[in-house]
Amino acid sequence: MSSESHRPTQEDVAREAGVSRAVVSYVINGRSGGNVRISEKTRRRVLEVVQRLGYQPNVNARSLRTRRSQLIAVMVPDLTNPFYPLMIRGAQAVAQRAAYDILVYDCDDQPARERSFVQAMLGRMVDGVILVAFHLKAEDVSLLTRAGIEVVGVGGELRPLGVDVVVPGEREAVRELMRHLIDRGHRSIAHLAGPPDTPPGRVRLEAYRQALAEAGIPDDESLVRYGTFDREHVADLVGSLFSSSRHGAHPTALFAANDVMAIEAIRTLARLGWQVPADVAVCGFDNIPEAEVVMPPLTTVDQDAEAIGRRAAELLLERLRAEAPLPPREVKIACRLVLRESA
Amino acid sequence: MSSESHRPTQEDVAREAGVSRAVVSYVINGRSGGNVRISEKTRRRVLEVVQRLGYQPNVNARSLRTRRSQLIAVMVPDLTNPFYPLMIRGAQAVAQRAAYDILVYDCDDQPARERSFVQAMLGRMVDGVILVAFHLKAEDVSLLTRAGIEVVGVGGELRPLGVDVVVPGEREAVRELMRHLIDRGHRSIAHLAGPPDTPPGRVRLEAYRQALAEAGIPDDESLVRYGTFDREHVADLVGSLFSSSRHGAHPTALFAANDVMAIEAIRTLARLGWQVPADVAVCGFDNIPEAEVVMPPLTTVDQDAEAIGRRAAELLLERLRAEAPLPPREVKIACRLVLRESA
DNA sequence: TTGTATGCGTTATCAC
DNA sequence: GTGATAACGCATACAA
């Protein structure tokens, strides 16, 4: 029992084992290569002392020396969005195996934080970063890459910046969803779109239009309403699509750009006296927990956040292990259609 | 523009400013105390060079020297439980202001991970830890404290271990909830309990009993059913309480130990032909997102996870700043009754 | 008021 | 094979 909280160092181990500090370092790091060979007997003795003393390397000293912090930062727009905890879990599962710890930066939907967190990452000297950022400029990201920090982006926004990206197959998923509706006979399908100045809003709208075109259904701009990804305005928008005066010719299906809007739409429709899915089929996007509980349960799309996190971490680790610089890569993670009762 | 990614050091700043390295260090750290005073003129010049060169301290070197990593670890049982992201957000808000970064460890409900993460924290030499752990033994925690790592626990489990704890006012909240039911005339209130070997399960059951006693309602053990905090068995348990054969004298209210069980109970009751809240009032605990969406919306209890995270981080920072050891403290965070339509 | 010197614990380069 | 020894970048007691 050592006096005080004196954590044993390589020095202590070396003394106890009767070898030099360098030998301990070699044994610890399994430095079998090079012109240095440690005898099996010595190796064992050192390891035994390491055990006995409970020696643990000092990460700070190691980092100072190797310029590797064994730290990965994950920056997300909104930690309370259930997508991100899952993504983080996926990333952590991969990182943990390679002895990396995960630093979480939650922007809480405040754009200014993205930049200030970039500064924090720089200061913390993380080895790599998984970024989900909507407001970062190319120069912010290049701050990271120039500092030798590897960057992987999640979502298409960062693609133009020349970093690895992991993107969910949103287009394909919307296509599949629309096909499902069309197969069930729907021809008049409305869309509750997200803000067209956000990438997801734009992508989902485009994919919606494309799916209609593929099915030979003429584009009808009057079936599209623009919302804000939250509950606000949904009641009005749905009202304008399904006002009772239009009971004659109304859309028979509604595709909302996310589940929050879809759920609010279902409630609004119920208030207006429409049956879902009998009168109107409704589907969303994201597969949030509420989607399973709403009545009727919501047909939607699951992005497999965990897989996205895993792949992002894998790309990052590959880069961290790579000798030479790698070209920017793009990985697409397929979404999964979740068929429930609402459509 | 420096060649390569050579990050400027204090040495560079000193050379550029025509002073010694020590002066730079003093200026950076605002060492106004002690017997060292830096002239305002020098100070300004150094700061100017710092700006110009974009100097940022090397955290690893600093940590090696100061034995402070400026890192706080947060360990949670299950990151996909919406309670924890909120708690982390609260902790981060506080930590960020004091220049601490947050390391997240998600146990994914695997008890074994708790101990392995303790090892990770030890190795990472974090300054402090916020623990939400159900399976940690006293010796695991003392591993941390003996290493000089400050520990704050969330939930009552860690109280016996002599560390600071932040606990939600569950008892008071259950009492309030029960009072609400009793005030509305309910006398036969059933309880869907959690596993009695878990602290929350036990606490909520005890508080339920106590509330009945306070109201002078005789204890009726036949009104209590033990579940598992998830959907499993809920249908059977509710069935046994509200089988149609008992339509005569049935409980008029049901308090479930958490929202997941409460929501499943509502659905089961609907299937059995009971109206909520007309025939049976139902309430839960936790205020998960689904609680707002289920029909009827669920009356429940919100634990204010963000406040819990904030307070935990505050306690931690106080300890980290303290000169002398502090006695173990306990902070209770009041829960908030969320009255909706189900009760 | 400023500069010098030392050590924090590792890794890695050399001679031996 | 092994053992000194020099960085890594910073903070600080102490000398000037």
Side-chain angles (χ1 to χ4, degrees), chain B residues 39-315:
Chain B
S39 73
E40 188 53 28
K41 211 180 67 184
T42 313
R43 215 180 70 86
R44 248 202 262 286
R45 189 170 68 243
V46 171
L47 255 23
E48 187 270 326
V49 175
V50 164
Q51 276 294 326
R52 185 152 51 80
L53 264 48
Y55 166 80
Q56 270 194 305
N58 179 320
V59 284
N60 296 319
R62 174 175 286 178
S63 294
L64 177 59
R65 181 62 227 236
T66 61
R67 303 170 167 290
R68 286 291 195 116
S69 61
Q70 292 292 114
L71 243 29
I72 288 176
V74 179
M75 184 172 101
V76 300
D78 174 13
L79 197 56
T80 64
N81 178 333
F83 177 85
Y84 297 113
L86 260 180
M87 187 193 84
I88 292 173
R89 167 172 293 176
Q92 167 150 278
V94 172
Q96 206 66 230
R97 263 179 256 133
Y100 281 87
D101 285 322
I102 299 270
L103 234 28
V104 170
Y105 295 97
D106 168 26
C107 295
D108 197 3
D109 272 338
Q110 297 171 33
R113 291 216 183 159
E114 293 189 353
R115 306 191 65 177
S116 90
F117 281 151
V118 165
Q119 286 303 317
M121 295 169 191
L122 247 21
R124 180 58 70 183
M125 306 212 297
V126 298
D127 294 341
V129 174
I130 296 174
L131 286 183
V132 191
F134 299 145
H135 310 278
L136 244 33
K137 303 275 297 177
E139 53 181 286
D140 299 314
V141 174
S142 79
L143 239 43
L144 292 169
T145 53
R146 271 186 309 185
I149 297 175
E150 301 295 346
V151 176
V152 172
V154 170
E157 297 78 31
L158 298 177
R159 189 168 19 209
L161 306 185
V163 299
D164 287 353
V165 288
V166 178
V167 296
E170 290 181 277
R171 279 206 163 72
E172 296 78 355
V174 171
R175 188 157 171 266
E176 214 180 326
L177 199 59
M178 292 292 289
R179 212 177 198 62
H180 170 75
L181 292 174
I182 293 166
D183 284 352
R184 304 194 93 178
H186 295 284
R187 287 295 174 275
S188 178
I189 305 172
H191 181 42
L192 217 48
D197 61 334
T198 66
R202 210 166 35 235
V203 165
R204 293 169 198 182
L205 172 59
E206 284 170 16
Y208 156 82
R209 288 201 174 117
Q210 195 177 335
L212 289 178
E214 280 175 15
I217 299 176
D219 203 354
D220 180 355
E221 187 59 30
S222 76
L223 292 179
V224 177
R225 295 288 185 284
Y226 295 88
T228 49
F229 277 141
D230 53 26
R231 286 214 274 255
E232 222 174 343
H233 309 132
V234 169
D236 291 345
L237 300 175
V238 170
S240 78
L241 281 165
F242 298 89
S243 61
S244 41
S245 65
R246 298 178 58 173
H247 256 237
H250 63 82
T252 62
L254 172 64
F255 162 46
N258 77 357
D259 285 355
V260 173
M261 290 199 284
I263 288 172
E264 189 65 15
I266 287 180
R267 300 174 131 190
T268 304
L269 285 168
R271 269 199 306 277
L272 296 178
W274 299 82
Q275 297 282 333
V276 176
D279 300 332
V280 186
V282 175
C283 49
F285 203 104
D286 282 348
N287 195 25
I288 63 179
E290 293 93 313
E292 203 179 346
V293 167
V294 68
M295 273 305 163
L298 184 66
T299 287
T300 184
V301 173
D302 190 295
Q303 299 198 47
D304 202 347
E306 201 166 349
I308 290 176
R310 265 198 311 270
R311 284 302 278 135
E314 283 165 1
L315 288 179

Side-chain angles (χ1 to χ4, degrees), chain A residues 6 16 37 65 96 101 158 168 187 214 235 248 281 299 302 338:
Chain A
H6 175 69
E16 196 76 8
R37 288 224 63 87
R65 184 59 228 228
Q96 205 66 229
D101 285 323
L158 298 178
R187 286 296 173 274
E214 280 176 15
T299 286
D302 190 297
V338 181

Side-chain angles (χ1 to χ4, degrees), chain B residues 22-24 26-27 31 36-43 46:
Chain B
V23 173
V24 178
Y26 286 137
V27 171
R31 272 257 150 280
V36 175
R37 288 222 63 86
I38 305 291
S39 73
E40 188 53 28
K41 211 180 67 184
T42 313
R43 215 180 70 86
V46 171

Side-chain angles (χ1 to χ4, degrees), chain A residues 10 21 25-26 55 58 62 65:
Chain A
Q10 289 192 352
R21 280 158 47 202
S25 179
Y26 285 136
Y55 165 80
N58 179 320
R62 173 175 287 177
R65 184 59 228 228

Side-chain angles (χ1 to χ4, degrees), chain A residues 63-339:
Chain A
S63 295
L64 177 59
R65 184 59 228 228
T66 60
R67 301 169 168 289
R68 287 291 196 118
S69 61
Q70 292 291 115
L71 244 27
I72 288 176
V74 180
M75 184 173 99
V76 300
D78 175 14
L79 197 56
T80 63
N81 178 332
F83 177 86
Y84 298 113
L86 260 179
M87 188 194 85
I88 293 173
R89 168 173 292 176
Q92 167 150 279
V94 172
Q96 205 66 229
R97 265 180 253 132
Y100 281 86
D101 285 323
I102 299 272
L103 233 29
V104 170
Y105 295 96
D106 168 26
C107 295
D108 196 2
D109 272 338
Q110 298 170 33
R113 292 215 182 160
E114 294 189 354
R115 307 192 62 178
S116 91
F117 282 150
V118 165
Q119 286 303 318
M121 295 168 189
L122 248 20
R124 180 58 70 185
M125 305 211 297
V126 297
D127 294 342
V129 175
I130 296 174
L131 286 183
V132 191
F134 299 145
H135 310 278
L136 243 34
K137 303 275 297 177
E139 55 180 286
D140 299 315
V141 175
S142 80
L143 238 44
L144 292 168
T145 52
R146 271 187 309 185
I149 297 175
E150 301 295 346
V151 176
V152 172
V154 169
E157 297 78 29
L158 298 178
R159 187 166 23 207
L161 306 187
V163 298
D164 287 353
V165 288
V166 178
V167 296
E170 290 181 276
R171 279 207 164 70
E172 296 78 355
V174 170
R175 187 156 171 264
E176 214 180 325
L177 200 58
M178 292 292 289
R179 213 180 196 61
H180 170 74
L181 291 174
I182 292 165
D183 285 351
R184 303 195 93 178
H186 295 284
R187 286 296 173 274
S188 178
I189 304 174
H191 180 41
L192 217 48
D197 60 334
T198 66
R202 210 166 35 236
V203 166
R204 293 168 198 181
L205 172 60
E206 283 170 16
Y208 156 81
R209 289 204 173 114
Q210 195 177 335
L212 288 178
E214 280 176 15
I217 299 176
D219 203 354
D220 180 355
E221 188 58 30
S222 76
L223 292 179
V224 176
R225 294 290 184 283
Y226 294 88
T228 49
F229 277 142
D230 53 25
R231 285 214 275 256
E232 223 174 340
H233 309 132
V234 169
D236 291 345
L237 299 175
V238 170
S240 78
L241 281 164
F242 297 90
S243 61
S244 40
S245 65
R246 299 178 55 170
H247 255 239
H250 63 81
T252 62
L254 172 64
F255 163 45
N258 76 358
D259 286 354
V260 173
M261 290 198 285
I263 289 171
E264 189 64 15
I266 287 181
R267 298 174 132 190
T268 304
L269 285 168
R271 269 201 305 277
L272 296 178
W274 298 84
Q275 296 281 334
V276 175
D279 302 330
V280 186
V282 175
C283 48
F285 203 104
D286 283 348
N287 195 25
I288 62 179
E290 293 93 313
E292 203 180 344
V293 166
V294 70
M295 271 308 165
L298 184 67
T299 286
T300 184
V301 172
D302 190 297
Q303 299 199 46
D304 203 348
E306 202 166 350
I308 290 176
R310 266 198 312 269
R311 284 302 279 135
E314 282 166 1
L315 288 179
L316 206 49
L317 289 181
E318 281 173 32
R319 275 188 180 279
L320 289 173
R321 283 194 270 257
E323 307 288 331
L326 265 40
R329 293 163 299 173
E330 172 167 349
V331 173
K332 185 171 287 186
I333 304 291
C335 297
R336 189 173 52 89
L337 208 58
V338 181
L339 295 179

